[in-house]
Amino acid sequence: MNSDTSQTITRIADDSEMIDETIHHKFMRQALIIAQEAYDSQEVPVGCVFVLDGETIIGSGRNRTNETCNGTRHAELEAVDSILSTNKYTSDIFRRCTLYVTVEPCVMCAYALRQLEIKHVYYGCANERFGGTGSIFEIHQDPNLKLHPPYPCEGGYYREESIMLLRKFFVRENENGKLFFLYINYVMKFYSYCMRSMK
Amino acid sequence: MEDESAIILPFRKVPSDEEERGLETVDVYISDVEPAETGRVLKFVQIHCPQAESLDRVKRIRKVTHDQGFTLNVLICLTSSITLDNLKLLIKQHDLESILSLRIHQISKYPPVTRVQFEEWNRLWPINFREDPRRDSRFSSEEIELLRNHMIRAIKLADIARSKGEVPVGCVIVDPEKAEIMCESHDTRTSSNHPLKHAVLNCINQVAMFEKTKLNSINDSLTPKKRKADKSDDQLAFSSDTLPELNILENKENSAGVYLCKGYDIFVTHEPCITCSMALVHSRIGRVFYGRSNNASGGLGSYYKIHTHHALNHHFKTFNGFLEDQIEMLMIDC
């Protein structure tokens, strides 16, 4: 299963002669490669890249909620922290940055991006549970939030590939859950058997 | 025993939209009915009239008492589900013309959530109502004193932040069962040159680091035991020695989850911004107490109500106005 997704991602990464190929597809493929990395490290497969002036990738990030025991370590915040920790850039840099992320930013990240005054956001698939740029709230363009300017946000770039990664991740999680349950069951049965035979 | 309802709370609950909702009505057909005919009429209503889910929570019959005794009213159906002419035709078909005299009446559109709403809306037409006991928050005076101390600590942290030239927002995360402070922090966005280093996010990150070190130590204690089991016979690996290990495994499952603030209280001087509010949802916080509201971008009452939003998968109680007069007003993201 693991190698399957790797192959898909590599295939689309090589597939530069797509009919509707745009610059956005190019950067979104990079985000997908990072999402695949998250999948391989047992994390929810979401990846993102920040692109300066529409030309160079200055930082990337992926979900690290399990590794850090922290439900707020989403791809976007990871990338922002990694960009600012290099000390090469100040937080003003985000005004010149475009974000490419495989899944719609959640409510938390959507407002964080607004605070950073991001220039533009492109995402793969919608996030129906937490999405803050259309699914649950429309934080990116809410006119009543006066502190920071709104930003444009568009979805649908490699939507199927982004969903497929998520789906595979959750199927794997469920299988692991089942295995753990079976193991516990087995141990408990053996323990009660031992106790009975000791009597 | 002290009367808990007599205690004046130093904070207010931030209500959800459903709790704050005023009366909105919807039109229904009703009719007077003779007591002897109610059985027949109800059968007709149940079988032949259009049903609506929203009518399940109201009573079908009401009793209006007056000088001459009482009259029974029966609720037939929503005016939106059938026209008056069609309904009259239906009544004619079932030979009930002499019994039913239709008129239009208003009942509340939504089910009441609080007792106040129930008492007001019930006057229009009787409603079935069972109050959710979890909605009610009671505090003993000792508990309030404890909460106040935590809030004073948060204000102290805000003062420390101010003295360091930071944005004066302070925050404390407390385990209410042990009444012990898990982590405390203040805003550091100025010194770190990072606009997202808000007090609440800093505090959540600290709790995560704390949990992470705890988890690592559990892992360390787990590894030697596993080695010991490997050395022994295969059968012995499942002897009673392995049971404590199971417990550890379960603990590991609990702490390894990303629900790191489950059941904890957070005390923060200012209303968290939308980012911080949602971070609290992601961390499964138990309760939130804050002082000053933030009209610029507050996510827990002022601008959005993230703590009670129906589409989000975790809800928590939020209280505001706690020691408000000791806290400076800020017009930025907190």
Side-chain angles (χ1 to χ4, degrees):
Chain A
M1 194 179 355
N2 199 334
S3 56
D4 276 4
T5 24
S6 302
Q7 277 168 11
T8 326
I9 304 293
T10 340
R11 184 182 54 75
I12 57 168
D14 294 339
D15 201 3
S16 52
E17 286 170 17
M18 283 179 61
I19 304 155
D20 54 349
E21 168 80 8
T22 61
I23 185 92
H24 308 311
H25 287 93
K26 181 184 143 204
F27 288 123
M28 194 58 91
R29 283 203 297 275
Q30 296 302 313
L32 271 170
I33 290 168
I34 290 156
Q36 173 67 42
E37 201 184 298
Y39 178 88
D40 295 340
S41 342
Q42 326 296 319
E43 296 281 354
V44 181
V46 183
C48 75
V49 290
F50 279 87
V51 177
L52 184 64
D53 298 329
E55 285 168 356
T56 40
I57 294 177
I58 59 162
S60 65
R62 63 166 174 90
N63 216 310
R64 283 183 200 274
T65 50
N66 292 330
E67 181 196 321
T68 55
C69 296
N70 188 342
T72 68
R73 297 316 298 166
H74 290 183
E76 297 90 330
L77 295 190
E78 281 286 326
V80 168
D81 283 359
S82 80
I83 291 167
L84 290 177
S85 67
T86 58
N87 289 328
K88 256 199 261 176
Y89 308 103
T90 61
S91 60
D92 297 342
I93 197 75
F94 294 106
R95 289 181 195 161
R96 288 163 56 197
C97 282
T98 309
L99 169 69
Y100 294 87
V101 56
T102 56
V103 182
E104 178 190 352
C106 79
V107 175
M108 173 180 77
C109 298
Y111 192 63
L113 292 167
R114 191 148 173 181
Q115 290 183 57
L116 297 169
E117 306 190 355
I118 191 99
K119 200 167 120 195
H120 209 126
V121 174
Y122 296 93
Y123 64 82
C125 63
N127 178 349
E128 277 152 24
R129 285 173 70 205
F130 301 118
T133 61
S135 292
I136 294 184
F137 295 124
E138 295 196 339
I139 288 168
H140 62 302
Q141 55 181 24
D142 192 327
N144 296 316
L145 294 168
K146 297 266 166 25
L147 292 177
H148 311 284
Y151 59 87
C153 187
E154 290 165 48
Y157 293 87
Y158 287 120
R159 179 175 166 273
E160 280 75 25
E161 284 78 2
S162 306
I163 293 178
M164 197 52 79
L165 262 178
L166 287 174
R167 220 171 260 164
K168 280 188 172 164
F169 174 79
F170 287 112
V171 167
R172 186 178 68 186
E173 286 292 286
N174 284 343
E175 278 171 1
N176 287 350
K178 264 183 221 154
L179 281 180
F180 184 73
F181 182 74
L182 286 175
Y183 167 73
I184 297 282
N185 240 1
Y186 176 63
V187 170
M188 291 311 284
K189 267 186 193 156
F190 199 91
Y191 177 68
S192 57
Y193 167 74
C194 289
M195 294 306 278
R196 248 184 286 136
S197 57
M198 270 162 75
K199 275 175 198 165
Chain B
M1 201 180 138
E2 72 181 319
D3 183 12
E4 287 182 347
S5 60
I7 298 171
I8 299 164
L9 294 180
F11 41 75
R12 298 174 298 273
K13 190 178 169 191
V14 183
S16 64
D17 286 337
E18 286 78 24
E19 288 171 306
E20 273 189 322
R21 178 146 57 197
L23 176 62
E24 282 176 53
T25 60
V26 60
D27 288 348
V28 290
Y29 296 116
I30 66 164
S31 167
D32 289 352
V33 64
E34 288 299 319
E37 302 286 355
T38 46
R40 198 174 149 208
V41 170
L42 280 180
K43 204 176 239 174
F44 161 74
V45 168
Q46 270 166 16
I47 297 171
H48 301 290
C49 292
Q51 301 293 315
E53 239 175 68
S54 58
L55 292 180
D56 291 347
R57 55 188 168 75
V58 296
K59 296 199 161 58
R60 275 290 166 177
I61 291 194
R62 80 165 173 181
K63 192 173 167 183
V64 186
T65 47
H66 43 74
D67 304 340
Q68 287 89 38
F70 68 88
T71 321
L72 291 184
N73 292 161
V74 63
L75 191 157
I76 295 168
C77 59
L78 293 170
T79 55
S80 56
S81 55
I82 189 166
T83 62
L84 187 59
D85 290 341
N86 284 348
L87 185 59
K88 275 183 177 162
L89 202 70
L90 204 63
I91 289 170
K92 204 173 174 183
Q93 279 167 7
H94 293 87
D95 295 327
L96 292 164
E97 287 162 295
S98 53
I99 301 169
L100 295 174
S101 53
L102 292 178
R103 63 175 193 271
I104 290 175
H105 186 78
Q106 274 97 34
I107 66 166
S108 78
K109 191 174 178 183
Y110 300 104
V113 185
T114 65
R115 184 150 285 277
V116 178
Q117 285 172 334
F118 167 68
E119 276 161 13
E120 188 195 337
W121 302 358
N122 195 45
R123 269 180 242 147
L124 279 182
W125 187 271
I127 308 171
N128 298 320
F129 177 62
R130 188 177 291 157
E131 201 169 11
D132 186 353
R134 287 166 302 175
R135 193 168 296 284
D136 199 22
S137 328
R138 288 176 186 279
F139 297 90
S140 66
S141 46
E142 295 86 37
E143 205 178 342
I144 290 175
E145 212 40 52
L146 262 174
L147 299 176
R148 196 192 305 273
N149 287 339
H150 293 317
M151 197 65 191
I152 289 170
R153 181 68 197 148
I155 295 172
K156 180 94 185 145
L157 286 160
D159 290 339
I160 294 171
R162 188 185 292 107
S163 67
K164 289 181 184 169
E166 302 277 3
V167 176
V169 183
C171 143
V172 187
I173 288 183
V174 178
D175 183 350
E177 279 181 17
K178 299 177 200 154
E180 88 187 27
I181 291 181
M182 304 301 294
C183 279
E184 46 182 46
S185 67
H186 58 70
D187 199 290
T188 53
R189 76 187 87 168
T190 316
S191 63
S192 62
N193 268 323
H194 191 316
L196 296 175
K197 291 285 178 206
H198 298 186
V200 174
L201 286 178
N202 287 345
C203 216
I204 290 173
N205 289 342
Q206 272 189 40
V207 175
M209 270 189 266
F210 178 72
E211 289 288 322
K212 181 80 186 158
T213 46
K214 211 166 76 181
L215 183 65
N216 285 345
S217 65
I218 289 174
N219 276 343
D220 290 348
S221 67
L222 198 62
T223 333
K225 270 191 186 170
K226 262 194 178 162
R227 274 191 209 123
K228 205 170 147 191
D230 287 343
K231 273 181 202 164
S232 58
D233 215 2
D234 276 356
Q235 280 202 338
L236 272 176
F238 289 105
S239 71
S240 56
D241 286 353
T242 49
L243 269 191
E245 229 175 78
L246 266 184
N247 276 335
I248 294 172
L249 267 178
E250 274 164 14
N251 284 339
K252 191 184 153 195
E253 282 294 299
N254 287 340
S255 53
V258 287
Y259 308 140
L260 68 147
C261 295
K262 203 171 178 191
Y264 290 173
D265 287 350
I266 187 165
F267 297 81
V268 51
T269 50
H270 296 77
E271 179 179 358
C273 73
I274 296 162
T275 299
C276 293
S277 305
M278 194 60 196
L280 291 171
V281 173
H282 285 316
S283 314
R284 304 292 190 273
I285 198 80
R287 291 185 298 184
V288 177
F289 297 85
Y290 68 84
R292 280 255 179 231
S293 291
N294 180 351
N295 292 326
S297 66
L300 300 179
S302 297
Y303 199 76
Y304 286 110
K305 287 180 176 170
I306 288 173
H307 62 300
T308 62
H309 196 278
H310 60 89
L312 297 174
N313 58 353
H314 175 68
H315 297 160
F316 47 84
K317 282 181 183 159
T318 300
F319 303 90
N320 69 1
F322 203 178
L323 302 179
E324 198 172 10
D325 43 357
Q326 298 179 33
I327 299 163
E328 183 187 334
M329 183 98 142
L330 293 176
M331 280 305 281
I332 54 166
D333 299 309
C334 297

